[in-house]
């Protein structure tokens, strides 16, 4: 009978599912914690890979001429500074390759970046012990916040080249922040200022329902 066939099919699927879960459990691959740690799988949960690079912003796309461009680093640091464009380019330049993950569920692999590392910047400005959070400010008025511990990492850069070409204006050129381990809204385009603060201060999207932290591996998309 059709019913028997249907039941048989469902039983078969259920058994396979259970077997798969048991195998995953045996391998430590349960769909909590471990599975979503960086490295355990390349694509964070709920994401799909794209080959293009979508543009997402508030729509202003400021045109920041290089002869007027400045980046201010201030707040709870020993040595505040302001770089103009030549001063910024005179800093040690790094290259890195990383994946990016947008909260709108696309991920793009193997992006080749050039820029100034957060590690270098931190070695210059020397955060005071009280500094625990960082706020990126941008030329379009956008802001976004993150823990200093997330900024202080080997894959964080102020980038000005992507795939060997100057970062386009629509993607945040001349310079944007890049924090690949958090959703891309944390990577401020057209960055103008990096402020070090003691108490956390939600930025533009964090005040409008996005998650305060934004870790793709635990799907910190909205709310907290
Ligand atoms: N200055 C600025 N940075 C910004 C934004 C913005 O509106 N202004 N949007 C953020 C959001 S919500 C996303 S998803 C990414 C998109 O970057 P992309 O357009 O290069 O893909 O930039 C982030 N950085
Ligand atoms: Mo976004």
């Amino acid at each position: 009978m059709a019913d028997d066939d249907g039941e048989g099919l469902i039983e078969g699927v259920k058994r396979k599912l259970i077997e798969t879960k048991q195998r995953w459990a045996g391998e430590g691959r349960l769909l909590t914690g471990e599975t979503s740690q960086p490295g355990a799988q390349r694509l964070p949960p709920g994401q799909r890979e794209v080959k293009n690079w979508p543009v997402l912003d508030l729509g202003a796309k400021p045109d920041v001429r290089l002869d007027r461009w400045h980046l201010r680093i201030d707040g709870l640091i020993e040595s505040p500074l302001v770089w103009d464009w030549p001063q910024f380019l005179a800093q040690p330049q790094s290259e890195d390759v990383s994946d990016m993950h947008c909260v709108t569920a696309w991920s793009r692999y193997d992006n080749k970046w050039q820029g100034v590392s957060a590690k270098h910047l931190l070695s210059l400005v020397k955060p005071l012990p009280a500094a625990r959070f960082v706020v990126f400010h941008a030329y379009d008025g956008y802001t976004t916040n993150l823990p200093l511990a997330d900024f202080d990492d080997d894959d964080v850069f102020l980038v000005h080249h992507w795939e060997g070409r100057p970062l386009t204006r629509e993607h945040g050129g001349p310079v944007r922040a890049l924090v690949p381990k958090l959703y891309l809204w944390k990577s401020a385009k057209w960055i103008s200022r990096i402020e070090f603060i003691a108490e956390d201060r939600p930025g533009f999207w964090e005040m409008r329902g996005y998650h305060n932290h934004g870790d793709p591996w635990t799907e910190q998309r909205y709310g907290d």
Side-chain angles (χ1 to χ4, degrees):
M1 268 178 76
D3 277 1
D4 291 347
D5 288 343
E7 270 182 32
L9 194 62
I10 289 165
E11 285 309 311
V13 170
K14 265 192 194 164
R15 196 186 62 247
K16 276 199 178 139
L17 270 175
I18 291 164
E19 283 170 2
T20 303
K21 284 186 175 171
Q22 278 178 339
R23 196 174 67 244
W24 285 2
E27 296 168 359
R29 272 187 56 190
L30 282 173
L31 283 172
T32 55
E34 274 132 315
T35 313
S36 54
Q37 290 310 300
Q41 59 186 31
R42 189 164 187 182
L43 196 64
Q47 298 289 109
R48 64 188 152 71
E49 191 197 349
V50 298
K51 297 290 186 186
N52 61 329
W53 186 6
V55 173
L56 292 132
D57 52 55
L58 305 175
K61 296 189 183 32
D63 185 4
V64 191
R65 284 172 39 182
L66 294 183
D67 59 354
R68 297 209 192 126
W69 181 89
H70 287 92
L71 176 63
R72 174 183 304 278
I73 322 286
D74 64 5
L76 299 173
I77 52 180
E78 267 180 44
S79 312
L81 61 81
V82 180
W83 280 327
D84 63 14
W85 187 249
Q87 289 169 324
F88 175 67
L89 287 189
Q91 305 306 312
Q93 302 291 317
S94 306
E95 283 191 8
D96 199 35
V97 174
S98 56
D99 299 346
M100 53 184 157
H101 308 293
C102 178
V103 70
T104 58
W106 59 263
S107 293
R108 192 181 190 287
Y109 292 163
D110 290 326
N111 299 280
K112 189 178 157 199
W113 304 102
Q114 280 168 261
V116 172
S117 70
K119 291 283 187 189
H120 170 67
L121 185 142
L122 288 166
S123 75
L124 289 183
V125 301
K126 297 184 279 294
L128 299 172
R132 288 181 51 235
F133 297 91
V134 172
V135 178
F136 296 146
H137 299 255
Y139 280 96
D140 61 343
Y142 186 80
T143 57
T144 187
N145 58 310
L146 63 161
L148 174 55
D150 286 321
F151 181 69
D152 186 3
D153 211 340
D154 291 327
D155 58 1
V156 178
F157 297 90
L158 306 174
V159 295
H160 53 77
H161 271 69
W162 173 78
E163 301 298 326
R165 296 187 293 275
L167 192 62
T168 58
R169 176 172 160 192
E170 61 180 2
H171 285 301
V175 182
R176 77 180 296 166
L178 177 71
V179 187
K181 284 194 306 302
L182 300 177
Y183 284 122
L184 200 59
W185 87 76
K186 297 286 186 181
S187 294
K189 311 203 271 193
W190 314 290
I191 194 163
S192 61
R193 177 182 173 205
I194 303 176
E195 184 188 8
F196 292 78
I197 57 177
E199 303 297 332
D200 201 6
R201 187 201 306 151
F204 182 88
W205 284 121
E206 292 83 3
M207 287 189 293
R208 289 169 175 78
Y210 280 35
H211 197 281
N212 192 53
H213 186 222
D215 170 22
W217 304 97
T218 51
E219 287 209 79
Q220 295 179 335
R221 296 175 191 273
Y222 307 106
D224 276 71

